[in-house]
Amino acid sequence: MLTSRSLWVPIAAAAVLVGVLLSAPAFAQAHIRGTLTAAKDGTISVQTVKGGTESINLANDAGLFLVTKADMSAIQSGKFVGITSVEQGGKRVAREVHVFDDSLRGLAEGHYPWDLESEPNMMTNANIAKVEEVGTDRVLRLNYSGGEQTITIPTSAVVVAFDKAPADQLAAGRKKEGSEAAAVVIGAEGVKPPM
């Protein structure tokens, strides 16, 4: 977790997502997506994907998360995942899957509106109860407190690993998504946070 101390800013290139990631209702709030241009004294500057620049204060207890490349083999029964999906042909179809590290199990658990695309989309953070192979797709049955969803994961879905990150990962040039942010998601190894 980040503290209010000054942040070291090495030169690097990565995408970021700045947002509130601590509870499901807060998780669903609007996010800022872009490239980190500066980080100093608990404030970050982000050049947004629309070309503007946002200055964002980080909460004293802001979470810092890292996404790295993963593939379909990471999607297994018993894993805790976050899935952004759209309604398509009467079923939920994933655009992206975030496979959470076990230390993040329960983070923003639930099923709620998201802001990834212009068309209506949802975020589902839940445990995988069952994985089925249907042609080249996978169909997941997901359980979360108060509900259940079935979501199809096509081969075109982006799959990433999602873990805690040390403060030195908050580096200028990195891509981001989150005015005061409770969390920052950073892409590593050339990965743009897909959320």
Side-chain angles (χ1 to χ4, degrees), residues 106-123:
L107 180 69
E109 185 173 0
H111 178 73
Y112 39 87
W114 196 245
D115 65 349
L116 179 66
E117 301 175 349
S118 58
E119 65 182 297
N121 56 103
M122 301 291 285
M123 177 65 77

Side-chain angles (χ1 to χ4, degrees), residues 18-94:
V18 179
V20 180
L21 303 177
L22 303 179
S23 65
F27 197 74
Q29 294 177 8
H31 302 94
I32 297 170
R33 295 168 174 90
T35 302
L36 178 66
T37 57
K40 185 177 180 184
D41 299 327
T43 301
I44 60 174
S45 294
V46 177
Q47 182 178 6
T48 68
V49 293
K50 295 179 181 177
T53 299
E54 295 277 343
S55 180
I56 302 161
N57 295 321
L58 298 177
N60 287 341
D61 60 350
L64 185 58
F65 303 96
L66 194 65
V67 293
T68 55
K69 292 179 185 178
D71 59 33
M72 287 287 207
S73 68
I75 301 170
Q76 302 173 9
S77 289
K79 290 286 190 176
F80 187 76
V81 295
I83 301 176
T84 306
S85 64
V86 295
E87 185 76 21
Q88 195 173 61
K91 61 183 178 180
R92 297 231 59 87
V93 178

Side-chain angles (χ1 to χ4, degrees), residues 102-181:
D102 279 343
S103 67
L104 297 174
R105 183 173 294 279
L107 180 69
E109 185 173 0
H111 178 73
Y112 39 87
W114 196 245
D115 65 349
L116 179 66
E117 301 175 349
S118 58
E119 65 182 297
N121 56 103
M122 301 291 285
M123 177 65 77
T124 307
N125 284 13
N127 292 298
I128 300 176
K130 185 176 181 181
V131 179
E132 292 183 75
E133 302 288 336
V134 179
T136 59
D137 298 340
R138 291 187 179 197
V139 177
L140 307 184
R141 191 175 78 229
L142 303 162
N143 294 326
Y144 52 90
S145 180
E148 178 177 287
Q149 292 293 319
T150 299
I151 301 179
T152 298
I153 314 296
T155 56
S156 60
V158 175
V159 181
V160 296
F162 195 101
D163 200 353
K164 292 179 184 176
D168 67 358
Q169 291 295 311
L170 196 57
R174 295 204 161 194
K175 303 282 180 190
K176 303 187 180 286
E177 179 188 318
S179 302
E180 180 171 277

